[in-house]
Amino acid sequence: MRVPLLAGVVGAAVALGGVVAVEAVRDVDARADVAVVVDAYVAAVESADTATIADSPLDGAVATTALLLAGVTPVATATVRCDEPRIGDGIATVVCEVRVERRTAEAQLLLEQVDGAWQVVRGLEVPVRLRSGALIVQTVDGTPLEPALARGQEAAWMLPGRYDVTVRTPQQLEVEQLEGLVVSGSTGSVRWTSDTSEQLDADVQASALAFVEECAALPREGCPALQERDPAEPFGVFDVVGELRPDDPYAMTFGVSIRRPVEDPEEFLVVTVRVDFGEELDRYDVAVVPSP
């Protein structure tokens, strides 16, 4: 009676081993299939093959594919290194490191098995809004932009990399360095540095000082709290810091630090001055923002 029972147990073990072996083979095959698709996709990204990328499913409600279809490519492409895929129930995820020049970001590929074939359903394309403070992007890679794209009102799908751009800025801002549009693994922005003109600096300081003098002569709502003083003790500017705000794209806000030698310690206050360049960057309105 024991021998047949033993034989049955051995047979079950052999059958179970066969199932495990088949599943392992399937897993290896799936990883190989996914790797082929990932490698081809990464090659398209690294070579800026916009035609191939534009064929992948991209959500037009999130961003337009107009720049990809126009063949807009970065002057410096991304380098992509991906980990082994994680596969389950017809879905595969792949974590990738995206490097654009000296910047590195992490992104994730999502693949789906459709009719037995794997395809990328979420890639490394990034929805980018081309808005950067008091600056309007006119062209990317030599391609003129529609107004909605130039003003950041609409996003565009773009490959990671650094793009050449031409821009328009107010004449009161002197662009010192225009690095271009840099698209990383998750975001994109125009990188630039500028300085303000001497006239702009003088007008901002004069506006802040005039406001404080008026408040000292006739306090009113919106004025900072001031100590009593001898009129011979003047206010003086000792620092000015300008800032571009995402919620106020066609203007700059300046924090003007003012002090005067009343009694020890000296009196310090900061006056906020806003310079509005207008939507066409052709205005130049200077106004103090009253204290809350």
Side-chain angles (χ1 to χ4, degrees):
M1 294 295 294
R2 292 180 181 177
V3 173
L5 180 60
L6 180 61
V9 171
V10 172
V14 171
L16 181 60
V19 172
V20 172
V22 170
E23 291 297 330
V25 170
R26 289 176 180 170
D27 186 58
V28 170
D29 289 345
R31 286 179 180 275
D33 293 341
V34 169
V36 169
V37 176
V38 170
D39 288 347
Y41 174 81
V42 168
V45 171
E46 292 185 326
S47 63
D49 182 357
T50 55
T52 298
I53 298 298
D55 288 338
S56 61
L58 294 170
D59 190 347
V62 174
T64 177
T65 58
L67 297 187
L68 286 176
L69 293 174
V72 172
T73 56
V75 65
T77 57
T79 300
V80 182
R81 297 292 179 267
C82 297
D83 295 339
E84 288 293 320
R86 301 180 65 178
I87 303 173
D89 297 328
I91 298 292
T93 58
V94 184
V95 176
C96 299
E97 180 184 86
V98 181
R99 183 174 181 84
V100 178
E101 295 182 329
R102 301 176 303 278
R103 303 172 182 87
T104 301
E106 187 176 281
Q108 182 173 274
L109 293 176
L110 177 65
L111 295 89
E112 184 177 352
Q113 197 171 29
V114 180
D115 297 329
W118 290 96
Q119 65 179 27
V120 175
V121 294
R122 187 176 69 224
L124 302 179
E125 305 89 353
V126 179
V128 178
R129 289 189 182 274
L130 302 172
R131 184 174 62 193
S132 183
L135 172 151
I136 296 176
V137 180
Q138 295 178 301
T139 67
V140 178
D141 188 34
T143 301
L145 298 183
E146 295 292 331
L149 284 177
R151 296 180 180 277
Q153 298 165 349
E154 185 179 1
W157 287 108
M158 304 189 73
L159 293 176
R162 179 172 60 82
Y163 295 77
D164 280 339
V165 298
T166 60
V167 301
R168 180 158 56 91
T169 60
Q171 63 178 5
Q172 293 80 14
L173 296 183
E174 300 170 357
V175 177
E176 297 178 331
Q177 182 178 2
L178 179 61
E179 190 174 343
L181 169 63
V182 179
V183 181
S184 67
S186 59
T187 187
S189 63
V190 178
R191 301 182 183 273
W192 61 297
T193 57
S194 70
D195 199 359
T196 52
S197 66
E198 292 183 4
Q199 185 61 53
L200 175 59
D201 289 341
D203 289 346
V204 167
Q205 294 184 39
S207 179
L209 286 171
F211 173 72
V212 174
E213 291 287 356
E214 291 171 3
C215 286
L218 183 61
R220 62 185 185 276
E221 186 178 355
C223 284
L226 298 173
Q227 302 176 34
E228 292 187 5
R229 64 155 187 158
D230 183 335
E233 297 173 334
F235 293 97
V237 174
F238 69 92
D239 193 25
V240 179
V241 178
E243 178 186 17
L244 294 168
R245 296 171 56 93
D247 59 345
D248 198 7
Y250 305 113
M252 284 189 70
T253 300
F254 294 84
V256 182
S257 299
I258 294 175
R259 67 184 173 192
R260 63 189 173 112
V262 281
E263 295 180 357
D264 196 21
E266 294 178 322
E267 183 175 19
F268 296 87
L269 62 148
V270 178
V271 176
T272 301
V273 179
R274 180 176 179 270
V275 178
D276 182 8
F277 300 110
E279 291 189 8
E280 299 303 324
L281 306 183
D282 56 356
R283 288 167 50 184
Y284 180 39
D285 297 332
V286 182
V288 169
V289 179
S291 302

